[in-house]
Amino acid sequence: MSTQPPAAPRPAAQPGTALTGLTPGAPVAVVVTGDGLALASAAGSDWLATHDPATELARLDAEARPRWVWWSAREALAGVLAARPDLRLTRCWDLAAVHRLLHGGAADDPSQAWAAARGLDPATVPQPGRDDQLDLVFGAAAPATVDPGEPDDPDSPLQPDGHLRAGWAHGGWTGDPDRALTWARLALDAQQRQQQSIAEVGAGGDVLTTAWSESAAALLAEELAAGGLPVDVPEAERVVAGQVGPRPRDAAHAAELRRHRDQQVLRLVQGAGEVDLRSPQQVRTLLAGLGLDVPDTRSWRLERLREAHPVVTALLAWREADRYATTYGYRWLDEHVVAGRLRGRWSASDGGAGRMTAQAGLHSLPAALRTAVRAEPGHLLVRADLGQVEPRVLAAVSGDQGLARAAEEPDLYAPVAARLGVERAVAKIAVLAAMYGQTSGAAGQALAGMERGYPTAMRYLQAAHDAGRRGQPVRTYGGRLVRMWTLPGGDVAAPELSPAEQAAHRSAVAARGRFARNAVVQGSAAELFKAWAAVVRLRLAGLGGEVVLCLHDELLLQVPADRAQDAVRALHEGLGETAARWCRGPRVRFVADVAVVERWSDAKG
DNA sequence: TCGGTCACGTA
DNA sequence: CGTACGTGACCGAG
């Protein structure tokens, strides 16, 4: 098949050609529209008219076992999954997800992914909106790089300079089967180029496998957004009520309750009637009036002052309650819990190092609310978390044989303590300090032992640290490019800066080093976790279960009650398979702690 | 109305 | 001078 993208939409090919004679796993680009599916593969392309895309996709997935290629899982499937949250497609290639993996950064719209796949300068990607608006005023300007021998065809999805037209990158393919087919062919072309460029990425791990698992994670993110977390709403309201009382009748009642909560604190201090407890400045002034001088009013700092004045304890209780009045209260439940499911948007790799992110508070539910996360009738929750995942990941990515041997033990810190000749608690501090770049307190001297005991791992971390300080990007084990940010005054402090500015610059350089040091571990761990989640996701589909939450190193599943033990096995076996495929150097043991429960709170944290 | 800062929940 | 994220409040600049 030609690698040249089509210059203009072509008529639809003969029906049925795209999926004929394909081997399982062959890439098939799909574009979902309201009227049907546009399919493109090496075998040809098809328009498949349907108003039930979920059923068609499920059928084609089972029959042909393709690797679905889409610009993004969100573009292709968000609408489909909203209507059919139980749809489970097997394999995919997410152009946006792979683009972010290979090139870093947050921009992953089709025009960026296309430009990178074609080797075009991302800085010259046509901007949507701005140009269109200028065009309305001044008329369309000719592109600076236009080749006079190649007239600009406004129907083409591509500009003469090879970039995707802004309109196409932002939904211009809708409403017309021919345009949808063109959009699918472009996706297939971009997929081929992404896969070719993977071979050139220098990473410790298998980047192609990471492209697959990151794509699966992007699909899982859409499934999580559509499916949601099962919540026992009456129980959630009981937890909220325990902090802030019953649901207010109206705004005036809510204000009255709020004043009452405030008064429980303010009445303890003479003349504090007008102090706004939500203002850290005013709280600090209030405390200063009592002779309590604090640089800030963070709770860990106030915690030490409980004995100093009764208002401190009252304030800490107020803070906790205020959380339920604002962030995790009735409003939050009304807004995000529908039909017993807490739903939010998910991103598979939004974090700086590529962790999953979730909105609607899904990643920061207070522990007290875990009693309200409850399996639906006939089901159970299966909670699993990776034990000591970051030091085990460090062993794998750095290739440190000694640390890999330590990972053979269920408790990795025990053999580390033995090698360092220190208590287990000290060994743990040393390992964490090495990975996080902590140098203060007890960590400093513990680090010296790490340098002697695990020099390979420490060299790996130091290399990332140095790269980060210099402002150079680092790559995770799976190949994710993690970019550094530029410093306000450049990478080298100007000599004319004041001492304070010099110090600020040194601090900023150090922060970049710590970030990079942590990113290669945290980011690689995120990739291992997502690969595990992808394997578990597929095995669960066969059990009638679903992943309902991903929490960095923890998976929460809901499964039919009589399949819970099958799910437990799927978690353990899936982790073994994932680790075996993931480790290219010394084989590192990963362990999962698994519990079958009715409520999330029933599992130890 | 906006961005910065503070605070705090999770890993 | 341990990292990351999302959320909501205040506060000062515009």
Side-chain angles (χ1 to χ4, degrees):
Chain A
M1 143 145 209
S2 164
T3 55
Q4 282 300 314
R10 299 172 188 161
Q14 290 298 311
T17 54
L19 293 171
T20 359
L22 289 183
T23 53
V28 175
V30 60
V31 170
V32 182
T33 79
D35 301 318
L37 307 175
L39 305 170
S41 76
S45 41
D46 275 326
W47 171 255
L48 218 159
T50 176
H51 292 295
D52 184 4
T55 300
E56 281 304 314
L57 285 165
R59 182 178 66 80
L60 298 172
D61 190 71
E63 285 176 5
R65 294 274 154 197
R67 182 169 297 281
W68 297 110
V69 175
W70 38 61
W71 286 100
S72 72
R74 183 163 298 166
E75 178 190 290
L77 287 188
V80 176
L81 283 165
R84 280 276 300 278
D86 60 334
L87 174 68
R88 290 295 175 269
L89 300 178
T90 309
R91 285 183 281 243
C92 65
W93 185 288
D94 188 302
L95 293 168
V98 177
H99 171 71
R100 289 168 79 142
L101 173 68
L102 298 180
H103 302 282
D108 65 355
D109 57 287
S111 47
Q112 292 288 340
W114 175 263
R118 305 286 303 193
L120 303 169
D121 182 0
T124 60
V125 166
Q127 298 297 312
R130 195 192 59 188
D131 288 352
D132 294 351
Q133 285 164 14
L134 289 175
D135 287 354
L136 288 175
V137 179
F138 301 110
T145 55
V146 79
D147 177 350
E150 206 171 318
D152 190 3
D153 173 4
D155 286 335
S156 165
L158 301 181
Q159 298 182 164
D161 63 5
H163 279 298
L164 268 182
R165 232 171 256 292
W168 274 80
H170 297 86
W173 46 271
T174 52
D176 174 359
D178 280 341
R179 291 169 76 84
L181 278 164
T182 299
W183 194 229
R185 292 191 197 99
L186 291 170
L188 190 69
D189 181 87
Q191 188 275 336
Q192 289 178 329
R193 289 171 182 272
Q194 283 189 340
Q195 183 159 345
Q196 285 160 8
S197 67
I198 280 175
E200 296 153 23
V201 174
D206 181 347
V207 184
L208 182 61
T209 298
T210 310
W212 291 345
S213 57
E214 291 293 311
S215 295
L219 175 54
L220 176 57
E222 294 310 309
E223 293 168 356
L224 286 163
L229 183 69
V231 166
D232 176 351
V233 176
E235 171 64 14
E237 297 203 333
R238 276 192 288 278
V239 173
V240 174
Q243 291 285 346
V244 297
R247 190 182 274 270
R249 293 184 299 273
D250 50 36
H253 188 210
E256 184 193 328
L257 291 173
R258 181 173 135 155
R259 270 194 303 275
H260 182 256
R261 273 200 309 280
D262 293 1
Q263 274 310 309
Q264 301 308 305
V265 181
L266 297 177
R267 68 186 172 83
L268 299 173
V269 181
Q270 290 289 331
E274 295 303 308
V275 172
D276 184 351
L277 295 173
R278 291 157 194 82
S279 165
Q281 287 176 26
Q282 294 187 32
V283 169
R284 189 165 168 239
T285 306
L286 176 77
L287 294 174
L290 301 170
L292 303 175
D293 264 315
V294 282
D296 58 62
T297 71
R298 288 188 165 82
S299 59
W300 64 267
R301 215 183 282 283
L302 300 184
E303 205 60 57
R304 303 168 180 180
L305 298 175
R306 276 184 188 273
E307 305 303 318
H309 193 284
V311 77
V312 174
T313 294
L315 179 60
L316 286 167
W318 178 93
R319 281 259 176 86
E320 191 183 354
D322 194 53
R323 207 99 214 125
Y324 289 87
T326 55
T327 309
Y328 297 105
Y330 299 110
R331 188 181 64 186
W332 169 73
L333 287 169
D334 295 345
E335 196 171 331
H336 300 293
V337 182
V338 176
R341 292 276 183 139
L342 172 60
R343 291 186 181 83
R345 286 175 74 123
W346 283 77
S347 163
S349 63
D350 232 16
R355 274 186 169 186
M356 296 180 89
T357 62
Q359 298 181 343
L362 280 157
H363 274 174
S364 46
L365 286 179
L369 272 169
R370 293 188 177 193
T371 59
V373 177
R374 181 183 186 182
E376 290 158 346
H379 292 75
L380 287 168
L381 300 178
V382 184
R383 176 213 181 264
D385 77 317
L386 298 175
Q388 304 168 341
V389 64
E390 292 195 337
R392 290 169 197 272
V393 162
L394 175 60
V397 304
S398 68
D400 191 301
Q401 304 271 357
L403 203 53
R405 271 197 300 281
E408 285 303 309
E409 296 299 317
D411 177 20
L412 171 145
Y413 296 119
V416 171
R419 177 177 285 207
L420 268 52
V422 298
E423 293 295 309
R424 180 188 181 279
V426 177
K428 183 174 177 177
I429 289 171
V431 171
L432 296 177
M435 291 188 297
Y436 296 161
Q438 186 181 8
T439 54
S440 64
Q445 66 184 64
L447 277 175
M450 285 294 293
E451 297 283 1
R452 285 193 302 275
Y454 302 98
T456 304
M458 295 302 282
R459 271 197 303 275
Y460 175 85
L461 292 168
Q462 189 64 48
H465 192 101
D466 293 343
R469 286 181 60 93
R470 291 191 300 266
Q472 294 172 341
V474 292
R475 271 199 199 272
T476 61
Y477 192 62
R480 178 176 302 280
L481 189 72
V482 180
R483 293 216 168 100
M484 294 304 124
W485 56 93
T486 52
L487 301 181
D491 286 352
V492 180
E496 65 270 22
L497 292 180
S498 71
E501 288 167 330
Q502 297 271 359
H505 189 271
R506 277 195 302 276
S507 163
V509 168
R512 228 164 38 176
R514 287 194 304 277
F515 170 75
R517 171 187 285 260
N518 182 250
V520 292
V521 178
Q522 186 192 96
S524 301
E527 287 156 6
L528 173 77
F529 173 80
K530 284 183 262 185
W532 180 45
V535 170
V536 171
R537 164 191 176 272
L538 268 192
R539 294 182 63 143
L540 275 184
L543 303 176
E546 58 181 323
V547 180
V548 292
L549 191 72
C550 294
L551 196 47
H552 306 314
D553 67 349
E554 178 174 351
L555 274 172
L556 195 65
L557 320 176
Q558 177 172 264
V559 297
D562 59 350
R563 310 309 292 273
Q565 288 312 314
D566 296 322
V568 171
R569 198 174 317 119
L571 285 159
H572 287 302
E573 292 177 1
L575 181 57
E577 292 166 16
T578 303
R581 170 154 212 165
W582 200 66
C583 295
R584 292 188 126 185
R587 183 81 167 76
V588 173
R589 182 179 176 209
F590 289 91
V591 295
D593 180 33
V594 182
V596 179
V597 293
E598 187 185 347
R599 299 170 189 272
W600 194 13
S601 52
D602 297 337
K604 72 160 189 68

